[in-house]
């Protein structure tokens, strides 16, 4: 992998274990089996992920993308709901390359607004997003719903 321009591609189901490993670095409680179980419905809903490849089939980054059609905007909203660069590969341009590729993908999907969500505790990530031209515009509030079987 070149440090100046990593190879970015669309994630596939075969990447499940590497996706779980990367998402785990942001404390997302998702395992390989979770990704395998969710993949079909998630992908069928028009979602995708972009990955940055390292060496020996190891992924060094992932951007999880969603397109939302909302009533209050004339064009879809594109969202990067998770962006992770492997801890050992940070500050090498991988995050920026993933965001650029995500912006291109979401623009091709007709998105008129792009968002990146980030946990409040990830202050270094916030500084990175602002550095690459994103503005803090709103708060997102969350509530866990307990599922009944």
């Amino acid at each position: 992998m070149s440090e100046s321009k990593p190879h970015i591609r669309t994630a596939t189901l075969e990447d499940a274990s590497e996706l779980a490993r990367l998402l785990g670095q942001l404390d997302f409680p998702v395992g390989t089996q979770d990704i395998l179980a969710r993949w079909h419905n998630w992908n069928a809903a028009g979602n995708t992920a972009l990955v940055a490849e390292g060496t020996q089939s190891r992924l060094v980054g992932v951007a999880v993308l969603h397109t939302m059609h909302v009533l209050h905007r004339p064009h879809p909203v594109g969202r990067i709901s998770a962006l992770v660069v492997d801890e050992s590969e940070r500050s090498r341009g991988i995050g920026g390359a993933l965001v650029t590729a995500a912006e291109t993908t979401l623009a091709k999907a007709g998105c008129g607004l792009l968002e990146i969500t980030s946990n409040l505790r990830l202050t270094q990530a916030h500084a990175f997003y602002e550095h690459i031209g994103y503005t803090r515009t709103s708060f997102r509030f969350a509530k866990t719903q307990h599922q009944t079987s």
Side-chain angles (χ1 to χ4, degrees):
M1 176 189 71
S2 167
E3 286 188 16
S4 61
K5 190 170 183 180
H7 177 66
I8 308 291
R9 63 170 175 79
T10 302
T12 66
L13 190 57
E14 289 74 28
D15 295 318
S17 65
E18 281 290 285
L19 293 172
R21 180 185 63 78
L22 287 167
L23 292 167
Q25 290 184 16
L26 286 186
D27 295 329
F28 287 114
V30 61
T32 302
Q33 293 306 313
D34 299 316
I35 290 173
L36 292 171
R38 297 172 189 159
W39 187 270
H40 177 72
N41 289 338
W42 172 81
N43 193 251
N47 301 306
T48 192
L50 301 175
V51 294
E53 289 187 318
T55 58
Q56 301 172 352
S57 301
R58 186 169 170 90
L59 299 181
V60 295
V62 60
V64 181
L65 312 182
H66 307 274
T67 302
M68 299 177 296
H69 297 270
V70 297
L71 290 176
H72 59 282
R73 296 202 179 270
H75 302 287
V77 175
R79 178 177 286 171
I80 301 172
S81 65
L83 177 68
V84 186
V85 173
D86 189 277
E87 294 168 333
S88 66
E89 300 289 336
R90 294 184 183 155
S91 298
R92 296 184 182 186
I94 296 165
L98 281 165
V99 170
T100 297
E103 290 171 343
T104 299
T105 299
L106 294 168
K108 287 179 181 176
C111 296
L113 175 70
L114 304 181
E115 302 175 335
I116 301 176
T117 61
S118 182
N119 190 294
L120 290 174
R121 69 181 166 77
L122 301 175
T123 56
Q124 287 183 318
H126 305 164
F128 168 69
Y129 300 142
E130 289 172 346
H131 176 74
I132 61 172
Y134 285 79
T135 305
R136 192 177 310 211
T137 61
S138 62
F139 289 101
R140 185 174 70 147
F141 298 90
K143 180 179 180 182
T144 301
Q145 293 285 35
H146 298 284
Q147 302 297 315
T148 58
S149 300

